[in-house]
Amino acid sequence: MNTADLGLPVAVPSTALFTDQYELTMLQAALRSGTGDRRSVFEVFTRRLPEGRRYGVVGGTGRVLDAVENFRFDETILGFLRERGILDEPTLEWLADYRFRGDIWGYPEGEVYFPGSPVMRVEGTFAEAVLLETVILSILNHDSAVAAAASRMSVAAGDRPLMEMGARRTHELSAVAASRAAYVGGFHTTSDLAAGFRYNIPTVGTSAHAFTLLHDTERDAFTAQVETLGSGTTLLVDTFDVTEAVRTAVEVAGPGLGAVRIDSGDLLLIAHRVRHQLDELGAGKTRIVVTSDLDEYAIASLAAAPVDAYGVGTQVVTGSGHPTCSMVYKLVARADGEEPGTPLRPVAKKSMGAKTSHGGRKWAARRVDEDGVAVAEVIGTGPVPAELADRQLLVPLVSAGKVVAREPLDAARDRHIAARDRLPLSATQLSRGEPVLPTEYV
Amino acid sequence: MNTADLGLPVAVPSTALFTDQYELTMLQAALRSGTGDRRSVFEVFTRRLPEGRRYGVVGGTGRVLDAVENFRFDETILGFLRERGILDEPTLEWLADYRFRGDIWGYPEGEVYFPGSPVMRVEGTFAEAVLLETVILSILNHDSAVAAAASRMSVAAGDRPLMEMGARRTHELSAVAASRAAYVGGFHTTSDLAAGFRYNIPTVGTSAHAFTLLHDTERDAFTAQVETLGSGTTLLVDTFDVTEAVRTAVEVAGPGLGAVRIDSGDLLLIAHRVRHQLDELGAGKTRIVVTSDLDEYAIASLAAAPVDAYGVGTQVVTGSGHPTCSMVYKLVARADGEEPGTPLRPVAKKSMGAKTSHGGRKWAARRVDEDGVAVAEVIGTGPVPAELADRQLLVPLVSAGKVVAREPLDAARDRHIAARDRLPLSATQLSRGEPVLPTEYV
């Protein structure tokens, strides 16, 4: 399937160029030395969570599946690589036939993860698997960062809806992926039309100060908006004087006014005042929407305020201080020779510094206590202990090159909420802390 | 021109969906009330620089021009908006004919900016200009954040080349834009093939630990790489023991070995040791490339080390702590009525809080002292003082809907370096400080 068939606003003829040059030159060297055919296992994991975070959230798995399916080298791309002198002819010929024919396992999207969790495992020949490194990491590092921030905001917001409104604060296509990841993390809607179009996320919108300023009076602006969008619309009330604007809003729209938005000032104080005023004006069902550089802490601080919904921009699309996840893609095992069936040998970097890793093809399982609450992330290379057999986290995503795990986005969102609910209570504290589960290697 | 004609790896049939829903509902309300035809001036500016930064760098102008040209509503997009019930039929009909026919002025790409600088000014009817808000901000906020970080790193690196290697740390298409913005900010090359393909940025690559681990010995790996890529290649020497790897590398490639890469450990110490060892082995011209979570401070700390090039990933593509610029797109003036020729009236939000802004269509100029060093960013709404007439910063980018300022990427890069060189010396201190130029409103 080409992503264009999915109704992308952006047709991606191939994801093959979303790749660091060295993947291709390593391929060439491995093809020439014969080692390119060695069966290899790469794993994606992170050595640590962003400072103070208690859990990570896997985001982007569905996009990885699209990217792997579309990873092909057409004549245009081959021509570019030839003209730049990046690769020799035998390598270009090999790439012309390329498609990934191996297996990918991974934590399903929305699942939580911890330091060392093998969130994705790519198995195939070295040649076919090494090429996928860059694009897989791009997607998982970006989308998981946003999903993790969204999850914390969703905890802070409790039952109140969260609207993602950050398109203008990030690259126009990151924005689409960010809306998707925010939805996985627990957001409800997005302002980004491309995200609505591509991923069927419900879209919402209010109004901007420019619209009020365009008109001769605030009343004219409110009247124009209500006439065309109905009294259920959301009126922006902080262009001039909030109290006057709220009065005008209810006069224009009637007590059935859908909502008012407050985008500046002391939101806690103003929300209380506006609620009081709306109630006095008989608009007891008019909701209060707040926006204005909200993050999970600001949302939490408004828990006791009469706020009905939060619009979040910058902080969710930039991962609330952690715009990337530091996931890496490491060769953890490979065959000693080129013949099919040669046993795998664990491998790992051994140099000084903090960048060492655990070799070997890994399984992962989450151990739970008698109440079903998670107590440890268990990672191993040998046989899976019987008591963990049905607690395993890796599921097949691609088998012999075929995607086997496509699912609706709501499945990932539901999975995330369920997985988060099974973590120890301290997982959802916003304060800085250690990962809420220890990682055990067995 | 369609961006596909420019050789995009990703064909963008239209940028029109990279838009917040409220732009379209405000359009509908304004068309219905008749105010949509009011001549309007929107300006893009930022109220402050990221904390401690001394100057900003305009990045993404060239991409904005592409986005504006491709901002069209085709049947697929209109069908989506109709089906979702977002817009009424008269608005959909209006959008079917939409193209931007107004004027855009802006700071040329690579120019530096300060709080309040009107880095872009969009003029047209309210209806045609309001629609561009989201996509213009997405591009400028993202690309300028990367360009600013790149510029600081380029100052820290001095004459040593900077390689952008961050594709894996950010969204796969942000990565392409980030390579472009890093180049504008002073980087020299990128590892991202899509950026090489799309923007003709020189691409580079070394090798990964996986390639060494794939082989039975490090010597086998080096031999395989040198046989296919030549002795001018860069060998990665920190998989096992650096000293042994350097010895093996020179044995395999000879003293003409291009470079060695160090990706972990105490880079300062190891670079000195490796330089000494290489010189002793007669490989005096073999270069040392360092990578490993570098930022501008780490680069600066290696100034006295025998390092020949820096590879930078995460920190440049995420703006080195500031992944977005907080640029806003504000209505600053509009006609009092719908008739063409109606005079413009300055407008501005007046509510409490820090979100007020200066109304009126603005010019900007950079005042210099007798040595040609910049001393102030001067912004005004009235006539331009004679002594600043030839110091104006805004140039025409789009005139009556036609792009008039397309330029090669190198022009933006050269402009940035020239503009930075004309700032006071303290501009390039890495320590936190105030904006190096005051903003004066006249």
Side-chain angles (χ1 to χ4, degrees):
Chain A
M1 188 193 301
N2 190 291
T3 50
D5 301 336
L6 301 170
L8 260 183
V10 172
V12 181
S14 169
T15 49
L17 281 179
F18 299 141
T19 298
D20 285 328
Q21 178 164 311
Y22 79 172
E23 319 286 8
L24 294 182
T25 51
M26 287 192 283
L27 168 74
Q28 177 173 311
L31 289 178
R32 180 138 156 189
S33 76
T35 49
D37 290 331
R38 290 187 173 189
R39 184 105 198 134
S40 296
V41 181
F42 287 87
E43 286 175 358
V44 177
F45 63 94
T46 177
R47 296 184 178 97
R48 64 198 98 71
L49 298 180
E51 202 191 329
R53 292 282 179 87
R54 293 160 187 261
Y55 60 94
V57 181
V58 177
T61 314
R63 297 210 308 117
V64 167
L65 302 183
D66 293 343
V68 171
E69 262 185 340
N70 286 282
F71 203 95
R72 306 290 175 88
F73 293 80
D74 65 13
E75 269 314 307
T76 311
I77 296 178
L78 294 171
F80 163 73
L81 297 170
R82 180 181 291 116
E83 191 196 306
R84 286 284 189 109
I86 293 170
L87 298 175
D88 62 18
E89 282 303 320
T91 309
L92 293 169
E93 276 167 38
W94 189 93
L95 288 176
D97 289 331
Y98 178 80
R99 54 183 293 265
F100 180 72
R101 294 183 175 85
D103 301 321
I104 303 181
W105 293 68
Y107 280 38
E109 187 156 11
E111 187 53 270
V112 297
Y113 71 85
F114 298 90
S117 298
V119 296
M120 194 166 280
R121 190 174 70 212
V122 179
E123 310 190 45
T125 64
F126 178 83
E128 68 182 338
V130 74
L131 292 187
L132 301 178
E133 175 178 27
T134 311
V135 75
I136 286 179
L137 289 179
S138 288
I139 293 173
L140 294 180
N141 271 323
H142 173 268
D143 291 17
S144 300
V146 175
S151 175
R152 286 163 59 84
M153 293 171 186
S154 136
V155 166
D159 293 332
R160 296 173 178 173
L162 282 165
M163 302 176 283
E164 183 280 307
M165 298 182 158
R168 65 191 57 195
R169 301 300 186 194
T170 187
H171 183 277
E172 64 275 21
L173 278 149
S174 295
V176 183
S179 289
R180 183 186 178 282
Y183 188 77
V184 169
F187 272 53
H188 300 78
T189 54
T190 180
S191 63
D192 187 339
L193 291 169
F197 181 79
R198 173 65 184 83
Y199 297 115
N200 209 28
I201 301 168
T203 56
V204 290
T206 62
S207 188
H209 298 113
F211 185 75
T212 299
L213 295 171
L214 169 68
H215 291 81
D216 296 330
T217 66
E218 196 167 48
R219 179 177 300 268
D220 285 357
F222 289 176
T223 304
Q225 187 176 334
V226 169
E227 272 181 2
T228 186
L229 299 173
S231 62
T233 193
T234 300
L235 294 173
L236 177 62
V237 293
D238 70 341
T239 305
F240 304 110
D241 177 82
V242 173
T243 305
E244 208 175 301
V246 169
R247 189 182 312 121
T248 307
V250 177
E251 280 174 20
V252 167
L257 172 63
V260 296
R261 175 162 80 105
I262 309 166
D263 182 48
S264 55
D266 180 338
L267 297 176
L268 181 66
L269 183 76
I270 300 169
H272 276 289
R273 279 200 199 153
V274 167
R275 179 76 271 156
H276 184 72
Q277 186 185 4
L278 284 170
D279 291 346
E280 282 201 330
L281 293 168
K285 292 196 168 158
T286 299
R287 304 185 325 137
I288 297 176
V289 176
V290 295
T291 56
S292 187
D293 282 336
L294 297 179
D295 62 11
E296 59 268 47
Y297 304 101
I299 291 169
S301 76
L302 292 166
V307 164
D308 299 283
Y310 303 95
V312 186
T314 308
Q315 292 303 323
V316 67
V317 301
T318 59
S320 198
H322 300 289
T324 188
C325 290
S326 66
M327 287 189 191
V328 293
Y329 183 94
K330 291 293 172 189
L331 182 69
V332 295
R334 51 92 180 157
D336 264 341
E338 288 73 49
E339 287 68 43
T342 312
L344 294 175
R345 162 209 289 270
V347 294
K349 179 176 184 303
K350 292 272 161 46
S351 187
M352 68 282 149
K355 286 191 178 176
T356 52
S357 46
H358 295 262
R361 177 182 185 277
K362 296 175 204 66
W363 53 265
R366 192 160 298 151
R367 187 187 298 134
V368 298
D369 67 15
E370 59 274 21
D371 300 319
V373 177
V375 294
E377 192 84 340
V378 189
I379 297 171
T381 52
V384 182
E387 74 274 16
L388 292 175
D390 61 349
R391 296 273 164 206
Q392 291 195 72
L393 291 157
L394 289 147
V395 300
L397 300 173
V398 174
S399 295
K402 283 250 181 317
V403 171
V404 296
R406 222 175 274 288
E407 61 180 7
L409 198 57
D410 277 307
R413 187 173 189 275
D414 294 345
R415 179 182 298 117
H416 173 59
I417 293 166
R420 192 178 66 198
D421 282 349
R422 286 191 298 268
L423 293 178
L425 277 179
S426 59
T428 51
Q429 284 177 231
L430 293 183
S431 59
R432 284 165 178 254
E434 294 301 307
V436 74
L437 295 190
T439 304
E440 293 177 9
Y441 290 91
V442 300
Chain B
M1 188 194 300
N2 189 291
T3 51
D5 301 334
L6 301 171
L8 261 181
V10 172
V12 182
S14 169
T15 49
L17 281 178
F18 300 140
T19 297
D20 286 328
Q21 179 165 311
Y22 80 171
E23 318 287 8
L24 294 182
T25 51
M26 287 191 284
L27 168 73
Q28 177 173 313
L31 288 178
R32 182 139 154 187
S33 76
T35 49
D37 289 330
R38 290 188 172 188
R39 184 104 198 137
S40 295
V41 181
F42 287 87
E43 286 175 358
V44 176
F45 62 93
T46 179
R47 295 184 179 94
R48 64 197 99 69
L49 298 180
E51 202 191 329
R53 292 283 180 86
R54 293 162 188 261
Y55 61 95
V57 181
V58 176
T61 315
R63 297 208 309 115
V64 167
L65 301 183
D66 293 344
V68 170
E69 262 184 342
N70 287 283
F71 203 95
R72 307 289 174 88
F73 293 81
D74 64 15
E75 270 314 307
T76 312
I77 296 178
L78 294 172
F80 162 74
L81 297 170
R82 181 181 291 116
E83 192 196 306
R84 286 285 188 107
I86 294 170
L87 297 177
D88 63 18
E89 282 304 319
T91 309
L92 293 169
E93 275 166 39
W94 189 92
L95 288 176
D97 289 330
Y98 178 81
R99 53 184 294 265
F100 180 72
R101 294 184 175 84
D103 301 322
I104 303 181
W105 293 67
Y107 280 38
E109 187 157 11
E111 186 53 89
V112 297
Y113 71 85
F114 298 90
S117 298
V119 297
M120 196 167 280
R121 190 174 71 212
V122 179
E123 309 189 46
T125 64
F126 179 83
E128 70 182 337
V130 73
L131 292 187
L132 300 178
E133 176 179 25
T134 311
V135 74
I136 287 180
L137 288 179
S138 287
I139 293 172
L140 294 180
N141 271 322
H142 174 268
D143 292 18
S144 300
V146 175
S151 175
R152 285 163 61 84
M153 293 171 185
S154 134
V155 167
D159 293 333
R160 296 173 179 174
L162 282 166
M163 302 176 284
E164 184 281 308
M165 298 181 161
R168 64 190 57 195
R169 300 300 185 195
T170 188
H171 183 279
E172 65 275 20
L173 278 149
S174 293
V176 183
S179 289
R180 182 186 180 283
Y183 188 76
V184 169
F187 274 53
H188 300 77
T189 55
T190 179
S191 63
D192 188 338
L193 291 169
F197 181 79
R198 173 64 184 85
Y199 297 115
N200 209 29
I201 301 169
T203 57
V204 290
T206 62
S207 187
H209 298 113
F211 185 77
T212 298
L213 296 170
L214 169 68
H215 291 82
D216 296 330
T217 65
E218 195 167 50
R219 180 178 298 269
D220 285 357
F222 289 175
T223 304
Q225 187 175 333
V226 169
E227 272 181 2
T228 187
L229 299 175
S231 61
T233 193
T234 300
L235 294 172
L236 177 62
V237 294
D238 70 342
T239 306
F240 304 111
D241 178 83
V242 173
T243 305
E244 209 174 299
V246 169
R247 190 182 312 120
T248 308
V250 177
E251 280 174 22
V252 167
L257 173 61
V260 295
R261 176 163 79 105
I262 310 165
D263 183 48
S264 55
D266 180 337
L267 298 176
L268 180 67
L269 184 75
I270 300 169
H272 276 289
R273 279 200 200 152
V274 168
R275 180 74 270 157
H276 185 71
Q277 187 186 3
L278 285 169
D279 291 345
E280 282 202 330
L281 293 168
K285 292 195 169 158
T286 299
R287 304 185 324 138
I288 297 176
V289 176
V290 296
T291 56
S292 187
D293 282 334
L294 298 179
D295 62 10
E296 60 268 46
Y297 304 101
I299 292 168
S301 76
L302 292 165
V307 165
D308 300 285
Y310 303 95
V312 185
T314 308
Q315 292 303 324
V316 67
V317 300
T318 59
S320 199
H322 301 289
T324 188
C325 290
S326 67
M327 285 187 193
V328 293
Y329 183 94
K330 293 292 173 191
L331 182 69
V332 295
R334 49 93 180 155
D336 264 339
E338 288 73 48
E339 288 67 44
T342 312
L344 293 174
R345 163 208 289 271
V347 294
K349 179 177 185 304
K350 291 272 159 52
S351 185
M352 68 281 148
K355 287 191 176 177
T356 51
S357 46
H358 295 262
R361 177 183 185 276
K362 297 175 202 67
W363 53 264
R366 193 159 297 149
R367 187 188 299 134
V368 297
D369 67 13
E370 60 275 20
D371 299 321
V373 177
V375 294
E377 193 83 341
V378 188
I379 297 171
T381 52
V384 182
E387 73 274 17
L388 293 175
D390 61 348
R391 295 273 163 206
Q392 291 197 73
L393 291 158
L394 290 146
V395 300
L397 300 173
V398 174
S399 295
K402 283 251 180 319
V403 171
V404 295
R406 222 176 275 290
E407 61 179 9
L409 198 57
D410 277 308
R413 187 173 190 273
D414 294 346
R415 178 183 299 118
H416 173 60
I417 293 167
R420 192 177 67 198
D421 283 350
R422 284 191 299 267
L423 294 177
L425 276 179
S426 60
T428 53
Q429 282 178 233
L430 293 183
S431 58
R432 283 164 179 254
E434 295 301 309
V436 75
L437 294 192
T439 303
E440 293 176 10
Y441 291 91
V442 300

